[in-house]
Amino acid sequence: MESDGLEEFDFSQPLHYALSQLNADLYAGIEQEPHFETVHFPKPASLSAMAEEDDDERPPTTNEIIDDLVEKFDNYPKIVTTMMQRGLLKKRQQCRKCDRMMHLRRRKNCYEWRCRTKDKRGDCSSCSIKFGSWFEYTKLSFKTIFSFLIMHCKNCSTSHMANELKLSTHTVNETRKVVYDLTDKIASKYPRIGQNQGMVYIEVIRIEPKKANDFMYTILAGQEANSNNCFAVVMSDEMPSTIEKVKMEKVNSHSSVSMIKTVNENFTAYASQSATFFDESKVYSNPSDMFFTNLRKNHPESALNSEQAFQSWFNDQVVRKTEGKRMLEKCVEELRTYTTS
Ligand SMILES: [Zn+2]
């Protein structure tokens, strides 16, 4: 195993720590090309110490954290430090074999965690720096996965993302599933809609198969009349008892519910016979704001493979509608929940 020779160095000692900082400062003022050869890698222990620092008088806003991360895209050690400081990566890791605390080590152009055997002759265990965070589900670099998340929140198309990020369509689709894990979690934490006993619109929507082999799905969707709080649930069937069950899970029982249809034609794209027509285009000038209308459209082919994938696509739409421009912030905030569980 390669060694940087510094694992026994005690960086909690002020002088040692100061020396390591001095070393870092030599590079701080120099304009660097974003290549790993010229990026300064702090010693693992000093990176750990920096990650523990909390000298901010006020905690940064999520937007400030995002700006900070984007600025450090090309500097792996700095982005790792910031991600640890902000709770996006674990800053401490416990060995799964012996329960002792692990230490960071540098391996080539990245850091990883390891636990040394008691006789210091080898490793008891080691793991990726991504372990215990959302990032462990992807092999993409931090720069690429953050860019992916930003573009996903901005609703970029798969082909655009594939081009910009130099990924295959397959990888874009696979990475979307990783992002869907985030939006699934966010959507699952939303309370029932209609909390303020206001008016709630609900619609039964049939999604017709695009190709002969696709399934037909029916969903129940709902939105508060005076806010963007909403839900969309894939149903196993269209039985009144099933609709009632989803309604009880998703809508406050004290709200007044109005069954609507947002398509004014008698074809099977809507399912509720007793619904009143609701023209979303009269309410929203921007087509992207039309929640019910948009649920019928643009399902990616990969979403149609399974009910879970389809539900994830709807959860993403629900988070998009609920959060609006705050979607990226909400996602970054949710990233922190992975490192604490
Ligand atoms: Zn161990």
Side-chain angles (χ1 to χ4, degrees):
M1 286 293 153
E2 78 185 79
S3 162
D4 56 31
L6 279 161
E7 41 285 282
E8 316 315 331
F9 214 70
D10 183 5
F11 280 97
S12 61
Q13 295 293 314
L15 176 63
H16 291 166
Y17 184 66
L19 284 172
S20 76
Q21 289 300 94
L22 193 64
N23 187 29
D25 278 343
L26 280 174
Y27 292 80
I30 304 168
E31 281 252 355
Q32 288 178 22
E33 286 293 315
H35 295 300
F36 283 126
E37 300 79 54
T38 56
V39 168
H40 168 66
F41 274 67
K43 295 296 176 200
S46 67
L47 188 130
S48 273
M50 284 188 272
E52 295 282 352
E53 269 177 41
D54 192 13
D55 53 3
D56 288 303
E57 286 177 7
R58 63 166 183 93
T61 65
T62 307
N63 267 330
E64 285 167 347
I65 293 173
I66 295 166
D67 284 347
D68 198 17
L69 292 169
V70 171
E71 211 169 279
K72 290 167 181 163
F73 262 177
D74 289 311
N75 190 313
Y76 172 86
K78 280 189 178 171
I79 202 167
V80 165
T81 309
T82 302
M83 287 172 71
M84 286 183 175
Q85 275 171 340
R86 304 306 170 206
L88 307 183
L89 289 176
K90 278 186 179 288
K91 56 183 161 190
R92 285 177 215 136
Q93 202 82 245
Q94 206 173 2
C95 175
R96 277 165 291 165
K97 278 194 188 161
C98 72
D99 288 340
R100 286 182 303 161
M101 294 314 288
M102 300 175 87
H103 295 275
L104 276 183
R105 82 162 141 194
R106 181 182 167 183
R107 280 201 99 181
K108 294 181 182 145
N109 283 328
C110 59
Y111 292 99
E112 67 174 24
W113 292 102
R114 75 157 152 197
C115 174
R116 299 281 274 163
T117 52
K118 287 206 173 119
D119 61 11
K120 313 266 188 213
R121 284 188 173 172
D123 288 353
C124 167
S125 79
S126 64
C127 68
S128 158
I129 198 162
K130 293 174 169 177
F131 186 75
S133 78
W134 175 71
F135 301 89
E136 74 171 278
Y137 305 109
T138 172
K139 289 196 168 79
L140 300 177
S141 69
F142 293 127
K143 177 180 180 170
T144 307
I145 188 66
F146 271 120
S147 306
F148 189 100
L149 187 59
I150 292 167
M151 293 176 86
H152 176 85
C153 290
K154 286 180 185 283
N155 223 355
C156 294
S157 72
T158 298
S159 57
H160 181 67
M161 290 167 80
N163 275 335
E164 290 286 314
L165 301 172
K166 299 182 173 57
L167 301 172
S168 68
T169 305
H170 176 77
T171 305
V172 173
N173 286 334
E174 289 302 301
T175 310
R176 278 215 209 264
K177 289 183 196 163
V178 179
V179 179
Y180 283 158
D181 194 73
L182 258 183
T183 41
D184 284 348
K185 278 203 165 73
I186 294 170
S188 73
K189 291 174 192 166
Y190 287 146
R192 287 186 177 90
I193 68 167
Q195 292 296 332
N196 302 321
Q197 304 182 11
M199 166 86 96
V200 166
Y201 295 129
I202 61 172
E203 181 174 20
V204 178
I205 299 174
R206 270 190 207 144
I207 309 292
E208 297 289 324
K210 281 185 185 169
K211 295 184 311 230
N213 291 334
D214 287 345
F215 298 104
M216 191 191 85
Y217 291 106
T218 307
I219 61 164
L220 185 70
Q223 189 193 333
E224 290 179 359
N226 296 317
S227 85
N228 290 326
N229 296 337
C230 58
F231 71 86
V233 174
V234 180
M235 292 191 291
S236 50
D237 57 62
E238 291 174 17
M239 303 268 288
S241 58
T242 308
I243 294 174
E244 210 45 44
K245 189 174 152 265
V246 175
K247 226 171 89 179
M248 279 179 54
E249 279 168 21
K250 293 293 178 182
V251 183
N252 186 314
S253 56
H254 297 295
S255 58
S256 62
V257 176
S258 176
M259 187 68 98
I260 55 151
K261 54 179 183 179
T262 54
V263 181
N264 195 17
E265 286 134 64
N266 260 332
F267 72 107
T268 51
Y270 76 89
S272 319
Q273 299 303 322
S274 59
T276 41
F277 178 57
F278 176 70
D279 188 351
E280 279 194 295
S281 67
K282 292 241 162 68
V283 181
Y284 301 107
S285 52
N286 184 350
S288 67
D289 290 333
M290 298 178 203
F291 178 61
F292 296 100
T293 308
N294 288 329
L295 294 182
R296 286 197 182 77
K297 298 193 294 193
N298 305 325
H299 319 112
E301 246 168 63
S302 56
L304 296 163
N305 296 339
S306 73
E307 188 175 315
Q308 182 50 52
F310 208 47
Q311 181 63 62
S312 290
W313 186 84
F314 285 110
N315 289 343
D316 184 81
Q317 297 298 309
V318 165
V319 173
R320 242 170 240 289
K321 177 69 180 171
T322 307
E323 303 300 329
K325 287 183 175 142
R326 278 201 83 254
M327 175 148 179
L328 177 61
E329 287 170 76
K330 186 74 180 178
C331 285
V332 171
E333 282 157 18
E334 191 65 25
L335 290 180
R336 292 178 179 157
T337 65
Y338 287 76
T339 61
T340 53
S341 56

